[in-house]
Amino acid sequence: MKSRIFMYLFIFSALAFIFQYVNSKNILDKYEKDIKQFKATIKTQEKTITELEDQNFELNYFNIDRNDNALDYFIAQGYDVDELIVAIKEGLYDTNHYEGEDHPIVPFVSMTGSKLLINKIRIVNHKWILANFTDGEYWGEIFVKYDIDENNDLKYKLVEYFMYPKIG
């Protein structure tokens, strides 16, 4: 009788062990599959990140923030570069506060009755600015040269401009 009980316990233990082994193997196989998928996803995302970083570098190439020569020029003149960049942008945006129909920088008159406003600015280097403008319906771009005079006043000079034709 005791030997039967031990035999049944042995069979039960063997079945429990086999169940545990199969279940653990299935879990490990699933984890391995998930890890492989995760590694593949990481590799794809790393490639995408690298491509986006390269693209971002290209997009920001003509930007004063990435132009060490232009920044060094201002530093050599004794300017706080961060404050100066803000002042240059704000000075150009301040030209949007004008009376009448003529914008002080943009050489067009609004065709919609709204004011022409400069709405995006890119400071290219220590001398040039690119900006776009709109009256809400028509859009254009300007190329502006800027200087800082002996009184530390910013002076803007329009160099080139165009307005996109209305399509449709």
Side-chain angles (χ1 to χ4, degrees), residues 4-145:
R4 264 190 189 179
I5 292 174
F6 284 123
M7 185 173 72
Y8 287 137
L9 281 175
F10 176 75
I11 292 171
F12 178 75
S13 296
L15 288 174
F17 176 76
I18 291 170
F19 173 77
Q20 285 294 336
Y21 174 77
V22 170
N23 191 37
S24 297
K25 176 127 176 61
N26 288 339
I27 290 171
L28 286 174
D29 290 346
K30 182 184 180 314
Y31 284 157
E32 284 181 22
K33 180 182 171 191
D34 290 348
I35 288 171
K36 285 180 183 176
Q37 286 177 338
F38 184 69
K39 285 182 178 179
T41 301
I42 287 175
K43 191 171 185 175
T44 303
Q45 290 177 347
E46 285 174 345
K47 183 179 176 187
T48 302
I49 288 170
T50 301
E51 290 171 358
L52 290 173
E53 285 174 342
D54 292 344
Q55 182 181 9
N56 188 38
F57 178 77
E58 287 297 319
L59 291 172
N60 281 315
Y61 184 76
F62 288 106
N63 190 338
I64 195 165
D65 295 332
R66 302 247 179 159
N67 188 330
D68 290 335
N69 293 327
L71 296 175
D72 290 344
Y73 173 83
F74 284 135
I75 291 169
Q77 301 292 318
Y79 293 108
D80 179 327
V81 175
D82 294 330
E83 289 179 12
L84 182 59
I85 290 171
V86 170
I88 292 167
K89 287 182 178 181
E90 285 180 359
L92 199 54
Y93 282 130
D94 285 347
T95 63
N96 287 336
H97 306 291
Y98 63 94
E99 298 296 324
E101 292 184 2
D102 295 333
H103 192 285
I105 300 285
V106 179
F108 296 102
V109 176
S110 173
M111 293 182 273
T112 64
S114 299
K115 289 175 77 170
L116 280 171
L117 300 173
I118 294 172
N119 63 341
K120 282 216 189 236
I121 297 171
R122 175 167 299 228
I123 302 173
V124 177
N125 56 31
H126 64 290
K127 294 290 179 186
W128 301 337
I129 299 172
L130 296 173
N132 76 344
F133 61 89
T134 184
D135 64 3
E137 191 172 333
Y138 295 91
W139 296 82
E141 296 175 1
I142 55 176
F143 175 58
V144 177
K145 187 175 178 184

